[in-house]
Amino acid sequence: MSSSKSVIIDRHPGRSSQTIGIARELGTEIDLIHEPSVGVVGNKGDSQCYIGVQRKVEAIHEALRAKIGHGEGQMALRLVQPEYTVATSDGIRNGTREMRYSLIGREVTQDSLNEHLSATGLAGTVAVVACDKPPVGTLSALLEHNTPAIIMSDGSIHPGMDPNSNETLDIVAAYQVAGSDDEDFKFHIACHACPGYGSCGGMFTYNTMQTFIGVVGMQPLEMVAPPSDDPRRTVEFPQLLVGYLQQMIANGVTPRDIVGRDSLRNAVIVAMAVGGSTNVVLHAPEIARAAGFRNFWKDVMTPEEFNHLSQHVVPVLTDARPYGRYSMVDIDRVGGVQVIVKELMDAGLLNGDVPTCTGETLAEQVARLDTPKPDADVVHTCASPYKPTGGLRLLGGNLSPDYSAILKLAGVEGGLEDNTFKGRARVFEGEADLLTALDETPEVFQNHDMVIVRYEGPSGAPGMPEMLDSTSRITTLCREQGIVVGLMTDARFSGGSVGLVIGHVGPEAAVGGPIALIENGDEIVADLNTNELNCTQLQDSAVKAARQAAWDKVVAANGGLHPNCGVADTRLLHRMRASGVPATQGGGMHPERQLWVRDERTAVASGFTPSNKHH
């Protein structure tokens, strides 16, 4: 009786009318409208990063439509029209108040895609991702929905070239001339830095995370490195993607079957080896949470293990922008990211037995691709690396008691003596004040200053903006004057940032973290021998208590929010302030009552427990 009722409900004419109309418009059989759905999704936004996405989505949609039907080799499923998520442009918004929405774009992507996946009941998805944050939001949503899915990155932009000097340019080069007084020169660089379309081409956050998604198993490795305008992305790859998806559906393979502890560890190790963005330690915990792990830094990799790998085990293999010379198109030219994966695997640094979306193990995928050896120019060997130690380092100490502070060691250009930096604090209550000083009074910055930018964390900004504008100007200032100026903040950095810059310092200032207690002139010590970030004055318990009491008094007088926090003047920013979690947990929006995995009933039903994966 209940089964009969279900059939009647499923065929309700009101609900069937639009699906019949859609089937006619898409050219699929009407009798498939009550079958599980499959479809394509893509990331869209207001920059060059997204211009190529729609044509890939449409090509994949056509390849998928050809596979829908009752014929031999076809899938008897309902096809839905493509859907797109939205996000803002990091490159265009850096240094502005709009940058508060950048990381929030990851959250909006995840929420909107979850709505589409769940409300449409998608049983199979191909996703085309672009820019920095939407790919992470997309992968997290696919992991939460947990039906067969596969990802293809849209691809990176080609580097530009200065026609006068023949110097290779990219968006970071354009940010690094922002402090120049020569308006014609600045406009000249801006005109030539970003030709064509595609996401940032260096080993910035985009390519760090696309490599991560490939290594973690959710994107075929050969699809990571080709540029956005590569014809394979609209001719060859759509057929492969649909074939892999069909295989996953037939075998019942879901994203959580692929993204496990060992694959996450592999992806983090490769991020170290490519000198990747500091944002990887912000995104990996969110991806892990969506995959069923309560706490990345306990269940997948501890901070101590992360530092041991980066400090003693994993070398930097790529001579890549922003710390080196080459772009992702050059990595593609010498064989793709699979070259890096194979080199690390052959050195015993990766687990090649983990599953991937192609149906092969990671090792089998690398072998099928007939992966060449490193060329020793763009990609180096483990025996003769570009840099002997990994590109990232987590710092503890009295300024980062939760071990959240992150330094991109691969991008440090100077200032470390015996692996230690000692500097004087120069405090700014927000990035806007720092940019004003860099514009109007750059002479105030002295050798061995440690610039402190606070109240820019997940809750404080709100939104945890990245600071490519600030770091680029400081880098140029240091190069021109032959000095070292560090920067530490409770916000984050672009993958294009270089210099002695330390982000994610937590707990953030808005919640009374130690960074809120630093005063101008304090001694700041970053010791990479002990991996600690300390303020000497705060080692005196009486000084720390007095400063904390003064901070508490200011907050109490302002209704519980420090007056230096940014204004939350939209519902979305208010949500971010009210529900922002620390960088160690991803820096996103999660109400405190929400568990880091699905509730216990769902966990048991799906075979997941907070500390264990079912496979």
Side-chain angles (χ1 to χ4, degrees):
M1 179 68 72
S2 61
S3 174
S4 173
K5 259 189 170 178
S6 176
V7 171
I8 293 172
I9 291 173
D10 285 346
R11 299 186 181 277
H12 188 292
R15 287 188 287 271
S16 296
S17 57
Q18 285 192 315
T19 53
I20 290 170
I22 291 168
R24 285 176 175 153
E25 290 298 318
L26 297 182
T28 57
E29 290 93 331
I30 291 175
D31 66 351
L32 294 175
I33 64 170
H34 299 297
E35 299 299 329
S37 304
V38 291
V40 189
V41 299
N43 300 152
K44 294 297 289 291
D46 62 342
S47 72
Q48 284 167 293
C49 307
Y50 304 100
I51 288 176
V53 170
Q54 186 168 337
R55 66 198 69 176
K56 279 86 166 182
V57 167
E58 290 171 351
I60 295 167
H61 181 74
E62 284 305 303
L64 191 55
R65 188 168 65 87
K67 278 287 187 178
I68 297 298
H70 296 288
E72 185 176 352
Q74 290 186 305
M75 296 182 284
L77 298 170
R78 176 194 169 211
L79 179 65
V80 300
Q81 61 266 52
E83 189 60 85
Y84 295 92
T85 64
V86 297
T88 192
S89 164
D90 293 354
I92 296 172
R93 310 302 172 194
N94 253 284
T96 73
R97 293 180 75 246
E98 287 77 15
M99 195 62 200
R100 296 174 298 170
Y101 288 95
S102 171
L103 182 58
I104 293 175
R106 184 189 76 185
E107 308 297 286
V108 171
T109 295
Q110 186 169 338
D111 287 349
S112 62
L113 190 51
N114 265 321
E115 190 274 343
H116 175 63
L117 294 170
S118 297
T120 310
L122 281 177
T125 310
V126 182
V128 181
V129 296
C131 202
D132 289 7
K133 313 310 173 298
V136 181
T138 298
L139 174 55
S140 298
L142 294 174
L143 283 162
E144 288 188 331
H145 187 61
N146 203 36
T147 62
I150 190 169
I151 291 174
M152 179 181 77
S153 57
D154 173 67
S156 63
I157 195 170
H158 289 271
M161 179 174 288
D162 185 338
N164 296 336
S165 66
N166 292 327
E167 177 189 3
T168 299
L169 299 174
D170 56 24
I171 193 168
V172 173
Y175 268 98
Q176 287 177 348
V177 302
S180 171
D181 294 328
D182 188 337
E183 295 299 326
D184 291 338
F185 175 67
K186 288 193 288 189
F187 185 69
H188 168 78
I189 295 298
C191 285
H192 296 284
C194 296
Y197 58 87
S199 296
C200 289
M203 195 52 73
F204 312 154
T205 305
Y206 170 72
N207 280 315
T208 300
M209 295 315 300
Q210 298 325 301
T211 301
F212 188 104
I213 292 169
V215 176
V216 86
M218 285 297 291
Q219 172 173 208
L221 291 176
E222 72 270 29
M223 299 185 189
V224 178
S228 182
D229 63 0
D230 191 304
R232 286 175 291 176
R233 292 199 176 278
T234 54
V235 178
E236 177 185 338
F237 293 168
Q239 305 295 329
L240 291 172
L241 289 163
V242 172
Y244 291 139
L245 181 66
Q246 185 175 12
Q247 180 178 286
M248 292 175 75
I249 293 172
N251 295 330
V253 175
T254 69
R256 285 186 173 188
D257 293 321
I258 295 169
V259 181
R261 178 179 179 271
D262 286 347
S263 62
L264 285 163
R265 289 167 61 86
N266 280 347
V268 170
I269 288 169
V270 174
M272 293 177 184
V274 298
S277 168
T278 53
N279 284 309
V280 72
V281 300
L282 195 70
H283 296 322
E286 175 57 21
I287 292 169
R289 182 206 61 79
F293 296 95
R294 184 183 294 272
N295 188 327
F296 177 89
W297 297 110
K298 289 183 180 178
D299 300 331
V300 179
M301 181 180 289
T302 65
E304 292 79 12
E305 185 178 13
F306 180 98
N307 282 340
H308 174 76
L309 288 167
S310 186
Q311 197 166 356
H312 302 293
V313 180
V314 183
V316 176
L317 301 183
T318 54
D319 180 359
R321 293 277 291 163
Y323 54 84
R325 297 175 293 167
Y326 295 110
S327 297
M328 192 57 123
V329 295
D330 298 302
I331 293 175
D332 182 56
R333 171 173 54 81
V334 301
V337 298
Q338 54 266 40
V339 175
I340 302 163
V341 173
K342 184 177 188 300
E343 180 64 17
L344 293 168
M345 198 179 299
D346 289 347
L349 299 180
L350 300 180
N351 181 350
D353 293 330
V354 294
T356 73
C357 59
T358 67
E360 305 156 302
T361 64
L362 187 65
E364 289 168 343
Q365 196 180 153
V366 167
R368 174 179 57 79
L369 294 172
D370 196 22
T371 303
K373 294 182 180 297
D375 71 315
D377 182 27
V378 179
V379 179
H380 293 246
T381 64
C382 288
S384 183
Y386 180 71
K387 291 190 175 186
T389 58
L392 300 169
R393 194 73 59 83
L394 289 170
L395 304 177
N398 67 11
L399 290 176
S400 180
D402 60 1
Y403 253 93
S404 65
I406 181 74
L407 168 69
K408 185 174 181 175
L409 192 57
V412 174
E413 297 184 343
L416 294 175
E417 297 181 10
D418 297 325
N419 276 328
T420 301
F421 172 87
K422 289 185 179 180
R424 300 170 302 276
R426 188 175 294 275
V427 179
F428 294 88
E429 312 290 1
E431 187 188 23
D433 289 348
L434 171 60
L435 288 171
T436 298
L438 287 166
D439 267 341
E440 299 177 0
T441 56
E443 67 277 1
V444 304
F445 297 93
Q446 303 295 314
N447 192 31
H448 278 233
D449 276 350
M450 175 59 86
V451 171
I452 312 294
V453 183
R454 58 195 182 193
Y455 298 103
E456 296 284 14
S459 295
M464 203 181 188
E466 70 181 31
M467 298 189 174
L468 179 60
D469 198 357
S470 298
T471 59
S472 297
R473 293 179 193 230
I474 289 174
T475 294
T476 300
L477 182 72
C478 290
R479 289 172 179 173
E480 289 176 348
Q481 298 188 15
I483 62 175
V484 175
V485 175
L487 189 156
M488 58 172 280
T489 179
D490 51 10
R492 58 190 181 84
F493 298 119
S494 163
S497 292
V498 293
L500 209 159
V501 294
I502 302 170
H504 310 185
V505 177
E508 62 174 299
V511 299
I515 190 173
L517 308 182
I518 298 172
E519 294 183 357
N520 279 310
D522 282 357
E523 182 182 63
I524 306 298
V525 181
D527 188 339
L528 300 187
N529 299 298
T530 60
N531 294 320
E532 289 192 349
L533 179 66
N534 288 303
C535 173
T536 302
Q537 282 71 18
L538 294 181
Q539 291 173 347
D540 185 322
S541 58
V543 170
K544 183 177 180 180
R547 292 185 184 183
Q548 185 72 62
W551 188 90
D552 291 342
K553 185 177 180 180
V554 171
V555 170
N558 196 53
L561 180 70
H562 198 283
N564 288 334
C565 290
V567 176
D569 51 3
T570 66
R571 186 172 73 164
L572 191 53
L573 291 177
H574 181 74
R575 279 182 58 204
M576 186 71 214
R577 169 152 294 156
S579 61
V581 295
T584 52
Q585 298 173 354
M589 295 189 290
H590 295 285
E592 289 183 1
R593 63 181 177 274
Q594 180 175 325
L595 292 173
W596 287 100
V597 293
R598 302 176 189 273
D599 63 50
E600 296 300 324
R601 289 170 298 173
T602 306
V604 171
S606 62
F608 283 82
T609 63
S611 61
N612 187 40
K613 292 276 287 181
H614 70 285
H615 62 272

